[in-house]
Amino acid sequence: MLEIKHLKTLDTLAKHGNLVKTADALFMTQSALSHQIKQLEDSLELKLFERKSQPLQFTPAGKLLLQLAQQVLPQLQQTENQLKGLAIGEQGRLKIGVECHTCFEWLLPLLRPYQAQWPNVDVDIAGRLSNLALPSLLKHELDLVITSDPFEHEALRFDPLFSYEIQLVLPANHRLNTASNNQAWLQPQDLTNETLICYPVSEDKLDIFRQFLTPHNLRPKATEYTDMTLMMLHRVESGRGVCALPKWLLDTQDDFKHLPRKRLGQHGLWSTLYAATHTATNAQQTPYIQDFIDRIKQTMRQ
């Protein structure tokens, strides 16, 4: 009664909002699409959406099936990728370069379930490569690079993974968080009298400089450096300075949730991470690489 094609149809309907665009996306005629949906509704004895609404409004029954489609179809796609891997052989190499310190917070927990799924893939994370990761990818010394610095290159493909907000963390009772100065967001000039605690990488790799301070030709009063996120937060807690970290990371640090945070700029300071691969590798046709990219997207979407 209920087939995969029905789930794909409902998922596509939700994305496009009307029958005409859905039929085009599914390479069907509108009449064939309408017939398929009517057959399904007749077999269920339920309406799935209101046809005269723009965009289409799903009924409770339609929403239930749409939820099922959104759960099943990604799992089906992942399984199909894995079956392709069986057909072409599961053995391979996945050497990963990482251009951000905070990535390790979510990257390392992914490795165990991934390695269980792909036991014959040799996974390795290269040491800190700073500006050498993407050049190493071009030379096929790496298979995948996690970066926030995409650029146009015929030999590279950049697949967006997820976007996140960067917030400034302040010591308790800091002047920028007092009742007399309790503004909802900070301007670049607010940091010129602060000590900024950063990871030890070049400033053009740090969004707090690249997007927030440098465009205004501003700098903090001083900078301090540490490799460790926990030490960075400990220094802030001790009143040694302020730091800028991803909101998703701060939300996981229970021991430091008492520290006040501020948005950077009226609309926040945002960054996007990308999975960079070599076009010659064709990650989309290499199931174990594409599966790793999909796992990152799924994990960070939750």
Side-chain angles (χ1 to χ4, degrees):
M1 181 173 64
L2 187 61
E3 302 178 29
I4 295 298
K5 68 178 182 181
H6 298 137
L7 298 182
K8 290 182 177 178
T9 295
L10 293 175
D11 185 54
T12 308
L13 269 172
K15 291 176 181 175
H16 292 282
N18 65 59
L19 291 173
V20 175
K21 292 181 180 179
T22 299
D24 289 341
L26 294 173
F27 303 101
M28 302 173 65
T29 64
Q30 187 175 346
S31 60
L33 176 62
S34 298
H35 181 68
Q36 180 194 113
I37 294 171
K38 187 176 186 309
Q39 278 190 321
L40 179 60
E41 289 181 324
D42 289 344
S43 65
L44 295 172
E45 297 183 351
L46 290 167
K47 284 181 61 177
L48 298 179
F49 56 86
E50 300 296 337
R51 283 167 170 74
K52 294 184 180 180
S53 59
Q54 286 293 334
L56 289 174
Q57 297 295 318
F58 283 83
T59 64
K63 290 178 180 178
L64 187 62
L65 287 182
L66 177 60
Q67 183 180 14
L68 176 65
Q70 292 171 339
Q71 292 173 347
V72 169
L73 293 177
Q75 295 175 2
L76 180 64
Q77 182 62 56
Q78 183 175 343
T79 301
E80 288 176 349
N81 289 339
Q82 292 167 0
L83 289 172
K84 290 177 183 176
L86 290 172
I88 65 174
E90 291 183 339
Q91 293 186 347
R93 182 195 78 164
L94 180 55
K95 192 167 186 179
I96 305 166
V98 182
E99 287 194 342
C100 68
H101 280 69
T102 57
C103 291
F104 291 96
E105 300 285 341
W106 52 260
L107 181 60
L108 295 178
L110 280 177
L111 294 182
R112 182 174 293 175
Y114 175 81
Q115 199 72 81
Q117 183 66 52
W118 303 96
N120 296 320
V121 174
D122 183 18
V123 181
D124 186 25
I125 299 179
R128 295 189 186 93
L129 296 170
S130 61
N131 295 330
L132 299 177
L134 291 172
S136 297
L137 178 62
L138 281 169
K139 293 185 287 187
H140 297 280
E141 295 171 354
L142 296 174
D143 303 296
L144 184 149
V145 172
I146 298 171
T147 179
S148 58
D149 299 319
F151 60 93
E152 291 289 335
H153 195 291
E154 61 181 7
L156 295 180
R157 170 187 170 90
F158 291 90
D159 190 2
L161 295 172
F162 61 93
S163 297
Y164 58 93
E165 184 180 1
I166 300 166
Q167 295 184 334
L168 195 76
V169 188
L170 308 167
N173 302 317
H174 190 275
R175 67 177 183 85
L176 293 176
N177 198 52
T178 59
S180 61
N181 194 27
N182 194 19
Q183 58 200 68
W185 49 275
L186 301 177
Q187 303 178 68
Q189 52 265 35
D190 290 323
L191 302 189
T192 56
N193 291 320
E194 302 299 325
T195 295
L196 184 62
I197 305 168
C198 311
Y199 294 113
V201 298
S202 61
E203 291 180 1
D204 62 356
K205 293 288 184 182
L206 295 170
D207 289 295
I208 184 70
F209 282 99
R210 181 173 57 186
Q211 294 191 55
F212 195 66
L213 292 170
T214 303
H216 298 275
N217 296 315
L218 295 174
R219 296 188 56 79
K221 180 180 67 175
T223 52
E224 293 186 3
Y225 302 96
T226 177
D227 276 320
M228 300 176 58
T229 302
L230 291 180
M231 183 56 67
M232 188 180 294
L233 290 169
H234 176 71
R235 288 187 181 185
V236 173
E237 185 180 50
S238 302
R240 294 278 300 275
V242 299
C243 71
L245 290 171
K247 181 180 181 297
W248 65 261
L249 175 60
L250 294 171
D251 289 342
T252 68
Q253 302 299 317
D254 292 339
D255 291 340
F256 297 96
K257 284 189 175 178
H258 62 286
L259 295 177
R261 309 183 205 169
K262 288 286 187 177
R263 300 196 83 179
L264 293 161
Q266 184 174 5
H267 303 291
L269 175 59
W270 292 83
S271 186
T272 300
L273 282 180
Y274 298 81
T277 53
H278 201 293
T279 53
T281 304
N282 197 355
Q284 290 181 304
Q285 299 300 319
T286 308
Y288 62 84
I289 296 180
Q290 188 60 48
D291 182 48
F292 192 81
I293 294 172
D294 292 340
R295 285 171 185 263
I296 295 174
K297 293 180 180 180
Q298 183 176 4
T299 298
M300 298 310 294
R301 190 167 54 235
Q302 293 173 351

